[in-house]
């Protein structure tokens, strides 16, 4: 016979031992304790519009050296409270909420989710969605707040060397421009839109990526890519050069990966900076 | 200097060679040609309510032995047309649309997406979402239609052998009950709801999975699991036994996987049937 | 205080209840019960030479309707016995061993592993390894034996349409030619070498994939690909056409996937046949 | 007609333009440019014995602000030279080789691979392999060398809270103790063996993981786990406490992840330190 909720519900009122509140065997403070790999439906602000998508969430708090463990259910409760109104500001509010629910020194989050933007093909103007993978990593304490936004923008890249040394043709492939920027959190003037980062990344590639291309579009992107060859090093430099001068950013990192069409491995380049 | 859409747009009107329409070098009909691994935002009907989620899509058509290739952009156009009103019926309509756009004998789809249901904890009644991975695989031709629905339901399983042979304790773990059913497509009476399959799967496990559990809930699920030990073989049989008698189904398969807590590998069992 | 092996070792001699040997609650025979996702070091015969690699293994047996469950440890014991001398024949011997250890009607295996072949660049002749993902799926019963060999061969593919409609350039990308063949198991004459399947797949692509290419090689593969454009449909047909006439094979399937450089999704084609 | 290596081979002698050696459009030095996601067969020293396994490799060099790009094939050539004699020292030698081949300021590597150790079950003493995922990350410049070793050790963990608040049973699950340590590279006295880290991790869990367990073993590990409950916080602290006093290490990080049997998400804790 299975236990039934009815038999046990009185325990709810009386309470049960709080094992997490015990003294730890080792008096060592922890940077983070929490939950990870939680898939959750969220609504995230994209250019002023809420977009429904699916996130993978890690949410944690620091643990003092006098406390054995955190109450894991509180992270889920906080996320459930905020899941349908997330944005950079919403994520900070979620972290403040976690800080209070847990009574912790610091709270941290990592939120991975795809954003979809409707893009129109360059000649036929047909519309379809392109996915952009995003990540928000934030940390809030009583004294400080930080937030890093990462976006991965797919591009086509065409190899300058292959084009130069060959009588015809040039190998080209899917590339990904990954941009990570540490945001200033001091007001509307410092706001960074996903669209800005996508534009920068696409301008650095040989041609943008589209989901639906008719023949007239395919002709356009083929020739466009051939006219704009770019190494991973070139793309990395072009994007980093634009961003490292941007006063809205505290720090940044650009990493470009090419899924080389002539190899089974990838080529990549990366550079990080801070102001 | 890069090519610009303006320079090339006149080609749109005049047309370009249709390479796909050529005769193939080898006169062999193909089962499927199309697109795969396309991530797309969709709305899917869950118990009468549209739910926004993110799908990974494969969409294809058969190719006659006289035609070299398919026009890949048409699959995206069809998906874009239907993406915000999908359901079992909506997917069939999408396949009919593909059949017409491509002029093909058969059209096939595989749609993978998570569905989130808000579940309440067994004692505290706190609410949070649980993810259920779903897959719809369909095929439509001029003469026939078929659709297989797959859902993966997470459960806790507790090992009957470990419990029986030990003086105390029993190893338990995350398990997944994967149910695939071939649907009859002849009307409302044959409709199968995701909730029915989830209930069956959870009843076969040692305890359901919840996202947020307070201590009173944790006590409940711990004891509940201990009172309901189940091997992968037991869970597979319990679910299959219920479904193989279900007249709404043409065929089915149950596969249960346990992420054994005492190993790094999994244990599984499976059985398939058709009427 | 933790239990120690010494305290419990006497139980080994006396035995413990055999819960798996009980009658099942539902008298339903199962197709498969066993282990999966077990990573194991193996040695696999490649062209007469044993190659050390790492496999992911699923190994299972059927379960009669009178038996509750299988003894999972026996699969590991059988695999440990055979892991360093695997080949098509060695896998059949492993399945015979499982059949005997479990006393089952049928035993099944799925073995996924990469094989590495040293390839020399087409001009510079520099050597490096190329990975080829393989899968062996086998089933043995008292009355029958079957084995399917799958190999995934990376190739470069260049789009015939893009080349034809563009004044210069052509999009190209990594593609994968996946070949699955059901082997006749009646002797040396029916043996199929991995190298044969790799050659067929590479001949169907626009250019082979190499791991190390100097500039002279890159020029060669760039121009080679431009001269040999191929759709996924073309590659699928070329490989299937060669294999469906091969009397050593009982059945087969070819599936080619292109990681389109102008999209984030893939293009694919597939065809299956049997004799 | 396809190009043949014969037609092009003379170009090898005469040389082709060196596009990578050009001035970059943006005079910005890059941290890393190289290859990633290359699967390669390697031999790695485990406790004095070379073990054949399969690695995923990233290998890169810094790029000066006066050079457009790196020659990617040189990374593969260096790896091919060293792939069958890797160890901590061997990886440093590989990096030195890369530094020389590329003429770069710094060279970096990330090498991910499983190591398999044969373990004997605690009562039956049956032997089977357990996989341990390892990562080596190194950086070498003219002036400095650093190396971080990461190992992921699977354990069983049993929840102290669940045990305390329940009349019987306790939820338990697969956990992973991930240990990252920055190695001192100044001689034999500072050498750290994988086996030491595995022992520490297993001692912190509720019970070790084995691949093959007979019933007597299963009884042992079930009861052993019940007698040694441990939160992710407890395990993290126990391992970190032992390592932060270890004078052979410059810095370290411990991260423990529990694949909670009562949830679909994980619980984790982490702490980092340096001397």
């Amino acid at each position: 016979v299975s236990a039934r909720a009815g038999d046990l519900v009185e325990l709810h009122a009386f309470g049960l031992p709080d094992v997490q509140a015990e003294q730890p065997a080792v008096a060592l403070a922890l940077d983070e304790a929490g939950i990870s790999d939680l898939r959750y439906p969220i609504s995230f602000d994209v250019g002023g519009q809420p977009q429904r998508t699916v996130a993978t969430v890690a949410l944690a708090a620091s643990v003092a050296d006098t406390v054995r463990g955190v109450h894991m259910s509180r992270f889920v409760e906080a996320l459930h409270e905020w899941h349908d109104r997330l944005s950079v500001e919403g994520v900070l509010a979620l972290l403040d909420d976690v800080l209070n629910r847990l009574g912790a020194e610091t709270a941290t989050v990592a939120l991975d989710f795809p954003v979809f933007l409707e893009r129109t093909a360059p000649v036929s103007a047909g519309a379809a969605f392109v996915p952009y993978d995003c990540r928000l990593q934030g940390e809030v304490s009583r004294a400080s707040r930080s937030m890093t936004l990462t976006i991965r923008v797919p591009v086509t890249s065409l190899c300058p060397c292959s084009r130069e040394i060959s009588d015809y043709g040039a190998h080209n492939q899917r590339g990904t421009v990954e941009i990570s920027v540490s945001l200033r959190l001091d007001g509307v003037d410092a706001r960074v839109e996903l669209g800005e980062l996508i534009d920068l990344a696409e301008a650095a590639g040989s041609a943008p990526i589209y989901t639906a291309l008719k023949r007239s579009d395919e002709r356009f992107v083929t020739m466009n890519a051939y006219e704009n060859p770019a190494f991973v090093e070139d793309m990395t430099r072009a994007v980093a050069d634009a961003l490292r001068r941007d006063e809205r950013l505290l720090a940044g990192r650009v990493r470009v990966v090419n899924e080389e069409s002539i190899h089974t491995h990838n080529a990549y380049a990366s550079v990080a900076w801070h102001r």
Side-chain angles (χ1 to χ4, degrees), chain A residues 32-33 40 98 138 144 176 182 185 219 228 230 247 259 262 264:
Chain A
E32 298 178 22
Y40 226 71
V98 167
S144 70
T176 303
S182 291
L185 300 171
R219 171 179 158 87
N228 293 284
E247 298 196 349
E259 300 172 22
I262 58 172
T264 61

Side-chain angles (χ1 to χ4, degrees), chain A residues 16-228:
Chain A
L16 294 160
D18 187 349
V19 184
Q20 277 84 356
E22 292 172 0
Q23 287 282 328
V26 176
L28 180 64
L30 296 173
D31 299 333
E32 298 178 22
I35 60 173
S36 66
D37 300 283
L38 174 58
R39 291 191 297 158
Y40 226 71
I42 66 165
S43 176
F44 192 83
D45 179 278
V46 180
Q49 292 295 111
Q51 179 169 132
R52 295 225 152 264
T53 183
V54 174
T56 300
V57 183
L59 197 52
S62 59
V63 187
D65 61 4
T66 54
V67 177
R68 186 169 179 193
V70 296
H71 293 96
M72 297 283 178
S73 60
R74 296 182 190 173
F75 298 110
V76 178
E77 290 166 347
L79 178 64
H80 198 63
E81 180 76 25
W82 290 95
H83 78 280
D84 59 0
R85 45 185 166 149
L86 292 176
S87 60
V88 170
E89 295 73 28
V91 171
L92 290 169
L94 164 63
L95 287 172
D96 285 337
D97 191 359
V98 167
L99 216 57
N100 289 328
R101 285 176 195 255
L102 275 290
E105 287 297 308
T106 62
T108 55
V109 72
L111 208 65
D112 289 278
F113 54 93
V115 154
F116 293 89
L117 299 184
E118 201 176 49
R119 306 295 301 271
T120 52
V123 179
S124 72
F129 289 102
V130 175
Y132 302 92
D133 287 309
C134 297
R135 166 169 260 225
L136 270 181
Q137 284 174 282
E139 182 171 307
V140 162
S141 71
R142 306 288 163 191
S144 70
R145 304 144 71 88
S146 68
M147 183 76 65
T148 300
L149 168 65
T150 300
I151 186 166
R152 299 180 66 199
V153 181
V155 296
T156 296
S157 77
L158 185 136
C159 179
C161 172
S162 171
R163 178 184 139 154
E164 182 69 23
I165 64 178
S166 304
D167 298 341
Y168 37 81
H171 76 78
N172 53 76
Q173 52 267 319
R174 246 183 242 169
T176 303
V177 178
E178 183 181 286
I179 301 173
S180 292
V181 288
S182 291
L183 305 174
R184 272 174 42 210
L185 300 171
D186 52 3
V188 170
D189 292 352
R191 183 170 290 169
V192 176
E193 296 293 343
L194 294 176
E196 295 178 73
L197 302 178
I198 293 170
D199 287 349
L200 262 179
E202 290 193 344
S206 298
I209 287 278
Y210 302 92
T211 298
L213 293 174
K214 308 299 289 182
R215 259 172 293 157
S216 53
D217 304 309
E218 187 173 355
R219 171 179 158 87
F220 176 76
V221 297
T222 299
M223 292 166 65
N224 192 227
Y226 193 82
E227 289 163 353
N228 293 284

